[in-house]
Amino acid sequence: MQITFNSYGFIIGVAIVTGLILIEKRVQKNKLHVAVFQKVSVLALAFGIVMARAWHVVTDLSLYQNNLLNMFAIWNGGLSIIGAFFGGIVGILISLLVLKETKILALKQKWNLFLELLDTSIFGLPIAQAIGRLANFFNQELYGLPTNVFFKIFIDEQHRLPGFESISYYHPLFLYEAFFTASFALWLYLFSRKSNRITSGSLFLLYAAYYSSVRLLLDPLRLS
Protein backbone atom coordinates (compact mmCIF):
# COMPACT_ATOMS: atom_id res chain seq x y z
CA MET A 1 0.00 0.00 0.00
CA GLN A 2 1.38 3.39 -1.02
CA ILE A 3 1.23 6.18 1.56
CA THR A 4 1.01 9.70 0.16
CA PHE A 5 1.89 12.88 2.05
CA ASN A 6 -0.95 15.40 2.17
CA SER A 7 0.33 18.92 2.85
CA TYR A 8 -3.11 20.31 3.69
CA GLY A 9 -3.87 17.62 6.24
CA PHE A 10 -0.39 17.90 7.77
CA ILE A 11 -0.66 21.65 8.33
CA ILE A 12 -4.18 21.32 9.75
CA GLY A 13 -2.79 18.71 12.13
CA VAL A 14 0.04 21.04 13.16
CA ALA A 15 -2.49 23.82 13.73
CA ILE A 16 -4.67 21.64 15.98
CA VAL A 17 -1.74 20.34 18.04
CA THR A 18 -0.25 23.83 18.43
CA GLY A 19 -3.58 25.27 19.54
CA LEU A 20 -4.14 22.51 22.10
CA ILE A 21 -0.63 22.91 23.54
CA LEU A 22 -1.08 26.66 23.97
CA ILE A 23 -4.50 26.22 25.56
CA GLU A 24 -3.23 23.54 27.94
CA LYS A 25 -0.41 25.85 29.06
CA ARG A 26 -3.04 28.46 29.91
CA VAL A 27 -5.08 25.83 31.73
CA GLN A 28 -2.06 25.01 33.88
CA LYS A 29 -1.34 28.68 34.49
CA ASN A 30 -4.92 29.32 35.62
CA LYS A 31 -4.77 26.20 37.80
CA LEU A 32 -7.73 24.55 36.07
CA HIS A 33 -8.14 20.79 36.23
CA VAL A 34 -5.83 19.52 33.45
CA ALA A 35 -7.46 16.07 33.29
CA VAL A 36 -10.89 17.67 32.83
CA PHE A 37 -9.53 19.95 30.11
CA GLN A 38 -8.03 17.01 28.24
CA LYS A 39 -11.34 15.16 28.23
CA VAL A 40 -13.27 18.27 27.27
CA SER A 41 -10.83 19.04 24.45
CA VAL A 42 -11.41 15.62 22.86
CA LEU A 43 -15.16 16.17 22.55
CA ALA A 44 -14.78 19.83 21.60
CA LEU A 45 -12.29 18.91 18.87
CA ALA A 46 -14.46 16.08 17.56
CA PHE A 47 -17.60 18.22 17.39
CA GLY A 48 -15.57 21.11 15.96
CA ILE A 49 -14.24 19.04 13.06
CA VAL A 50 -17.62 17.46 12.30
CA MET A 51 -19.42 20.81 12.37
CA ALA A 52 -16.65 22.52 10.38
CA ARG A 53 -17.08 19.98 7.61
CA ALA A 54 -20.88 19.92 7.80
CA TRP A 55 -21.10 23.72 7.59
CA HIS A 56 -18.86 23.74 4.52
CA VAL A 57 -20.81 20.94 2.80
CA VAL A 58 -24.18 22.59 3.44
CA THR A 59 -23.03 26.02 2.21
CA ASP A 60 -21.21 24.57 -0.83
CA LEU A 61 -23.43 21.61 -1.61
CA SER A 62 -23.05 22.14 -5.37
CA LEU A 63 -19.43 20.97 -5.10
CA TYR A 64 -20.54 17.51 -3.98
CA GLN A 65 -23.82 16.85 -5.78
CA ASN A 66 -22.06 14.77 -8.45
CA ASN A 67 -20.00 12.75 -5.98
CA LEU A 68 -21.49 12.54 -2.51
CA LEU A 69 -18.58 10.49 -1.14
CA ASN A 70 -16.32 13.54 -1.51
CA MET A 71 -18.25 15.09 1.36
CA PHE A 72 -16.11 12.97 3.68
CA ALA A 73 -12.75 13.77 2.06
CA ILE A 74 -11.73 16.46 4.54
CA TRP A 75 -8.04 15.94 3.70
CA ASN A 76 -8.71 17.77 0.42
CA GLY A 77 -9.92 20.89 2.21
CA GLY A 78 -13.29 22.30 3.12
CA LEU A 79 -13.40 23.12 6.84
CA SER A 80 -15.49 26.09 7.92
CA ILE A 81 -14.16 28.01 10.91
CA ILE A 82 -17.70 29.18 11.67
CA GLY A 83 -18.85 25.57 11.92
CA ALA A 84 -15.80 24.77 14.05
CA PHE A 85 -16.73 27.59 16.44
CA PHE A 86 -20.24 26.28 17.00
CA GLY A 87 -19.14 22.65 17.08
CA GLY A 88 -16.49 23.40 19.69
CA ILE A 89 -19.02 25.20 21.89
CA VAL A 90 -21.45 22.28 21.64
CA GLY A 91 -18.64 19.85 22.45
CA ILE A 92 -17.70 21.79 25.59
CA LEU A 93 -21.31 21.97 26.76
CA ILE A 94 -21.88 18.25 26.28
CA SER A 95 -18.61 17.47 28.04
CA LEU A 96 -19.64 19.43 31.12
CA LEU A 97 -22.94 17.53 31.22
CA VAL A 98 -21.57 13.99 30.79
CA LEU A 99 -18.13 13.94 32.43
CA LYS A 100 -18.20 12.41 35.89
CA GLU A 101 -15.86 15.14 37.16
CA THR A 102 -18.34 17.88 36.22
CA LYS A 103 -21.75 16.19 36.54
CA ILE A 104 -21.64 16.75 40.30
CA LEU A 105 -21.19 20.51 39.92
CA ALA A 106 -24.07 22.89 40.45
CA LEU A 107 -25.54 24.56 37.37
CA LYS A 108 -23.92 27.91 38.19
CA GLN A 109 -20.52 26.22 38.64
CA LYS A 110 -20.89 24.46 35.29
CA TRP A 111 -21.78 27.76 33.63
CA ASN A 112 -18.77 29.52 35.15
CA LEU A 113 -16.49 26.67 34.08
CA PHE A 114 -17.99 26.78 30.58
CA LEU A 115 -17.22 30.51 30.29
CA GLU A 116 -13.72 30.00 31.66
CA LEU A 117 -13.03 27.24 29.14
CA LEU A 118 -14.29 29.47 26.31
CA ASP A 119 -11.95 32.27 27.39
CA THR A 120 -9.04 29.86 27.80
CA SER A 121 -9.58 28.50 24.28
CA ILE A 122 -8.79 31.93 22.81
CA PHE A 123 -5.17 31.52 23.93
CA GLY A 124 -4.79 28.84 21.26
CA LEU A 125 -7.58 29.31 18.73
CA PRO A 126 -6.32 32.40 16.82
CA ILE A 127 -2.82 31.03 16.24
CA ALA A 128 -4.29 27.65 15.27
CA GLN A 129 -6.49 29.46 12.73
CA ALA A 130 -3.51 31.37 11.37
CA ILE A 131 -1.52 28.16 10.87
CA GLY A 132 -4.52 26.35 9.44
CA ARG A 133 -5.17 29.08 6.88
CA LEU A 134 -1.67 28.56 5.48
CA ALA A 135 -2.83 25.10 4.42
CA ASN A 136 -5.00 26.83 1.81
CA PHE A 137 -1.82 27.68 -0.08
CA PHE A 138 -1.53 24.00 -0.98
CA ASN A 139 -5.14 23.20 -1.83
CA GLN A 140 -5.80 26.66 -3.37
CA GLU A 141 -9.18 26.77 -1.68
CA LEU A 142 -9.45 30.30 -0.29
CA TYR A 143 -8.49 33.09 -2.64
CA GLY A 144 -10.03 36.41 -3.57
CA LEU A 145 -10.64 38.59 -6.58
CA PRO A 146 -8.16 38.79 -9.46
CA THR A 147 -5.30 41.21 -8.78
CA ASN A 148 -1.86 42.32 -9.92
CA VAL A 149 -0.48 43.33 -6.50
CA PHE A 150 3.07 42.10 -5.88
CA PHE A 151 1.92 39.58 -3.26
CA LYS A 152 -0.67 38.00 -5.59
CA ILE A 153 -1.00 34.22 -5.71
CA PHE A 154 -1.09 32.00 -8.77
CA ILE A 155 -4.08 29.64 -8.93
CA ASP A 156 -3.93 26.53 -11.09
CA GLU A 157 -6.57 26.38 -13.81
CA GLN A 158 -8.34 23.38 -12.28
CA HIS A 159 -8.95 25.39 -9.09
CA ARG A 160 -10.33 28.51 -10.78
CA LEU A 161 -14.02 29.26 -10.52
CA PRO A 162 -16.26 29.28 -13.61
CA GLY A 163 -15.79 32.49 -15.55
CA PHE A 164 -12.23 33.01 -14.27
CA GLU A 165 -10.47 30.23 -16.19
CA SER A 166 -8.27 32.67 -18.13
CA ILE A 167 -7.15 34.66 -15.06
CA SER A 168 -4.04 33.43 -13.24
CA TYR A 169 -3.43 35.71 -10.22
CA TYR A 170 -5.66 36.48 -7.25
CA HIS A 171 -5.69 38.01 -3.77
CA PRO A 172 -4.27 35.51 -1.22
CA LEU A 173 -7.31 35.78 1.01
CA PHE A 174 -6.11 32.96 3.24
CA LEU A 175 -2.94 34.94 3.96
CA TYR A 176 -4.89 38.06 4.92
CA GLU A 177 -6.98 36.07 7.39
CA ALA A 178 -3.86 34.39 8.78
CA PHE A 179 -2.30 37.82 9.34
CA PHE A 180 -5.29 39.18 11.24
CA THR A 181 -5.74 36.12 13.45
CA ALA A 182 -2.00 35.95 14.20
CA SER A 183 -2.09 39.67 15.06
CA PHE A 184 -4.81 39.03 17.62
CA ALA A 185 -2.77 36.17 19.09
CA LEU A 186 0.24 38.49 19.43
CA TRP A 187 -1.87 41.21 21.06
CA LEU A 188 -3.35 38.68 23.48
CA TYR A 189 0.09 37.42 24.44
CA LEU A 190 1.31 40.97 25.18
CA PHE A 191 -1.91 41.95 26.96
CA SER A 192 -1.99 38.86 29.17
CA ARG A 193 1.54 39.62 30.38
CA LYS A 194 0.43 43.01 31.64
CA SER A 195 -3.06 42.30 32.90
CA ASN A 196 -5.20 39.42 34.11
CA ARG A 197 -8.38 41.50 34.30
CA ILE A 198 -10.48 39.41 31.95
CA THR A 199 -13.97 38.49 33.14
CA SER A 200 -15.47 35.12 32.32
CA GLY A 201 -16.64 34.90 28.73
CA SER A 202 -15.51 38.39 27.74
CA LEU A 203 -12.37 37.28 25.94
CA PHE A 204 -14.29 34.79 23.83
CA LEU A 205 -16.86 37.46 22.94
CA LEU A 206 -14.07 39.91 22.12
CA TYR A 207 -12.46 37.48 19.71
CA ALA A 208 -15.83 36.55 18.18
CA ALA A 209 -16.48 40.24 17.51
CA TYR A 210 -12.94 40.76 16.20
CA TYR A 211 -13.07 37.79 13.85
CA SER A 212 -16.54 38.77 12.63
CA SER A 213 -15.13 42.21 11.78
CA VAL A 214 -12.24 40.59 9.91
CA ARG A 215 -14.66 38.50 7.87
CA LEU A 216 -16.76 41.57 7.06
CA LEU A 217 -13.61 43.41 6.00
CA LEU A 218 -12.44 40.60 3.73
CA ASP A 219 -15.80 39.52 2.31
CA PRO A 220 -15.76 42.15 -0.49
CA LEU A 221 -12.65 40.39 -1.83
CA ARG A 222 -14.28 36.96 -1.92
CA LEU A 223 -15.29 35.40 -5.21
CA SER A 224 -18.00 33.22 -3.70
Side-chain angles (χ1 to χ4, degrees):
M1 186 176 89
Q2 184 179 8
I3 299 177
T4 58
F5 179 79
N6 186 284
S7 299
Y8 177 87
F10 175 75
I11 295 176
I12 293 297
V14 170
I16 292 173
V17 171
T18 302
L20 288 175
I21 290 174
L22 292 173
I23 296 171
E24 185 165 348
K25 285 185 176 181
R26 191 68 187 184
V27 166
Q28 294 170 342
K29 184 175 181 179
N30 288 355
K31 295 181 174 57
L32 295 174
H33 200 301
V34 176
V36 171
F37 162 73
Q38 291 173 341
K39 292 179 181 179
V40 169
S41 64
V42 171
L43 268 181
L45 180 60
F47 274 87
I49 293 175
V50 170
M51 283 293 293
R53 185 59 175 181
W55 192 287
H56 165 75
V57 170
V58 169
T59 54
D60 292 281
L61 192 58
S62 60
L63 299 176
Y64 305 98
Q65 59 186 5
N66 296 325
N67 191 341
L68 296 180
L69 288 178
N70 280 341
M71 292 191 299
F72 303 100
I74 64 174
W75 52 87
N76 291 327
L79 294 173
S80 167
I81 187 59
I82 298 175
F85 258 85
F86 288 117
I89 292 173
V90 170
I92 293 175
L93 282 172
I94 291 177
S95 299
L96 296 181
L97 292 175
V98 303
L99 289 179
K100 63 180 181 180
E101 294 92 342
T102 56
K103 279 199 296 186
I104 61 174
L105 298 177
L107 184 60
K108 184 176 180 180
Q109 289 176 301
K110 287 181 182 178
W111 177 249
N112 290 335
L113 181 56
F114 170 68
L115 294 177
E116 192 166 6
L117 287 170
L118 286 183
D119 274 356
T120 305
S121 71
I122 303 304
F123 286 88
L125 181 58
I127 196 65
Q129 279 184 254
I131 296 173
R133 278 306 181 202
L134 298 180
N136 295 129
F137 172 80
F138 295 96
N139 71 346
Q140 300 190 334
E141 183 181 32
L142 184 64
Y143 57 90
L145 294 170
T147 185
N148 285 316
V149 295
F150 73 92
F151 45 83
K152 60 186 179 291
I153 184 174
F154 176 82
I155 298 298
D156 295 329
E157 190 171 349
Q158 65 266 29
H159 294 295
R160 299 171 194 168
L161 294 176
F164 294 87
E165 292 87 352
S166 61
I167 302 175
S168 301
Y169 295 98
Y170 300 80
H171 280 282
L173 212 55
F174 67 89
L175 189 59
Y176 302 162
E177 190 169 316
F179 170 79
F180 282 113
T181 51
S183 296
F184 187 94
L186 177 61
W187 169 83
L188 180 59
Y189 171 75
L190 296 174
F191 174 78
S192 63
R193 293 183 63 187
K194 297 179 180 180
S195 175
N196 289 318
R197 290 181 297 178
I198 301 174
T199 57
S200 294
S202 62
L203 184 57
F204 182 83
L205 291 176
L206 174 63
Y207 184 65
Y210 173 83
Y211 184 68
S212 298
S213 299
V214 170
R215 290 295 294 261
L216 287 173
L217 177 67
L218 296 180
D219 266 351
L221 292 177
R222 291 180 182 272
L223 280 173
S224 61

